[in-house]
């Protein structure tokens, strides 16, 4: 059973499939250029008339207003640091020809590279997720899904370089109950690895146990900074509300449980359950169905 748990936590098949999808997208895109959406506060290179042709250094400038993807207002800084405004400046997007006979601005090389990479990762992730929605099986653990998303985020995405917040919308894959079930089954595997065979499969688990798991899922969805200690204390507060107290042996009839103590007083093997629960919920929260999310928010 321990081997099964390790395979569950470290199966890297989705990473391989993600990288394969990235390579496929890169091949399909070829030399296609990416339009970078300008937003106020973004830094660009400003080229006064003739300076780039003469091989001089660009001036730093900050976007202060956006008229379109190719027309912006700037706050330009002379090499001395003196600031001056520039209105209605042409913004050259990657792949655009440089204008002749006028000032212009452009994105810096690293911004162009990051934007192109982000678009590739976004498209690859979207295609991979669409395959999941269409029923294609993916042998992947929550940890690996989290690592895959982290790999996308390494490219400094979201607002910082693309100006977009919708770079990836991995919604609609799981319900809250699905995530609770994954947590429950993983916890059962962990317990069996520790020699505790008292846990039962999700399908035959009592309703109070399922409700407790779903409560834990929602707690971490809406409290993303809460860690294993917060997970346990939320569970203990729920149990106390339901009338549970401490007991040396778990007894659902008497409502007694040996884990009805503070997190710091739990044995390390019991603390491992909270670490596993938190990791799974945080990894799968971005994949929870939006309609299911609205329903649970309203409750």
């Amino acid at each position: 059973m321990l081997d099964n748990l390790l395979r569950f936590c470290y199966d890297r098949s989705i990473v391989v499939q993600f990288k394969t999808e990235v390579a496929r997208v890169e091949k399909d895109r070829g030399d296609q250029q990416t339009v970078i959406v300008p937003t106020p506060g973004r830094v660009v290179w400003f080229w006064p008339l003739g300076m780039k042709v003469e091989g001089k250094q660009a001036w730093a400038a900050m976007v202060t207003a956006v008229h379109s993807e190719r027309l912006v207002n700037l706050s330009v800084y002379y090499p001395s640091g003196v600031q001056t405004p520039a209105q209605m400046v042409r913004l050259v997007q990657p792949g655009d020809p440089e204008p002749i006979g006028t000032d212009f601005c452009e994105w810096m090389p690293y911004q162009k590279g990051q934007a192109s990479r982000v678009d590739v990762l976004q498209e690859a992730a979207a295609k991979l997720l669409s395959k999941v929605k269409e029923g294609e099986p993916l042998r992947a653990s929550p940890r690996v899904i989290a690592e895959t998303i982290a790999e996308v985020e390494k490219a400094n995405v979201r607002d910082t370089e693309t100006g977009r917040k919708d770079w990836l919308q991995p919604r609609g894959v799981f319900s809250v109950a699905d995530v609770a079930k994954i947590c429950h089954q993983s916890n059962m595997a962990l317990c069996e690895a520790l020699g505790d065979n008292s846990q039962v499969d999700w399908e035959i688990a009592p309703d109070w146990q399922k409700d407790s798991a779903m409560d834990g899922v929602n707690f971490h969805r809406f409290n993303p900074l809460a860690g294993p200690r917060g997970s346990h204390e939320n569970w203990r507060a729920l149990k106390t509300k339901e009338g549970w107290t401490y007991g040396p042996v778990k007894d659902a009839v008497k409502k007694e449980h040996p884990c009805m103590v503070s997190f710091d007083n739990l044995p390390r093997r019991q603390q491992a359950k909270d670490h596993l629960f938190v990791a799974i919920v945080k990894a799968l929260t971005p994949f929870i169905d939006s309609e299911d999310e609205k329903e649970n928010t309203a409750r």
Side-chain angles (χ1 to χ4, degrees), residues 20-70:
T20 300
E21 201 67 54
V22 168
R24 186 178 295 114
V25 170
E26 287 177 333
K27 181 179 179 180
D28 293 342
R29 287 174 63 89
D31 296 328
Q32 179 182 341
Q33 299 295 327
T34 298
V35 172
I36 305 175
V37 180
T39 55
R42 300 289 301 281
V43 177
V44 295
W45 277 353
F46 176 73
W47 294 100
L49 177 62
M51 273 190 55
K52 191 168 186 179
V53 176
E54 296 171 5
K56 296 183 179 179
Q57 188 176 17
W59 295 356
M62 180 182 295
V63 177
T64 57
V66 178
H67 301 288
S68 70
E69 292 179 345
R70 290 178 169 80

Side-chain angles (χ1 to χ4, degrees), residues 22 57 84 95 109 127-128 146 159 228 249 254 260 265 279 289 296:
V22 168
Q57 188 176 17
T84 183
K127 288 185 175 181
L128 190 59
D159 305 300
V249 178
K254 295 181 180 180
M260 288 293 289
N265 289 326
D289 182 79
N296 278 274

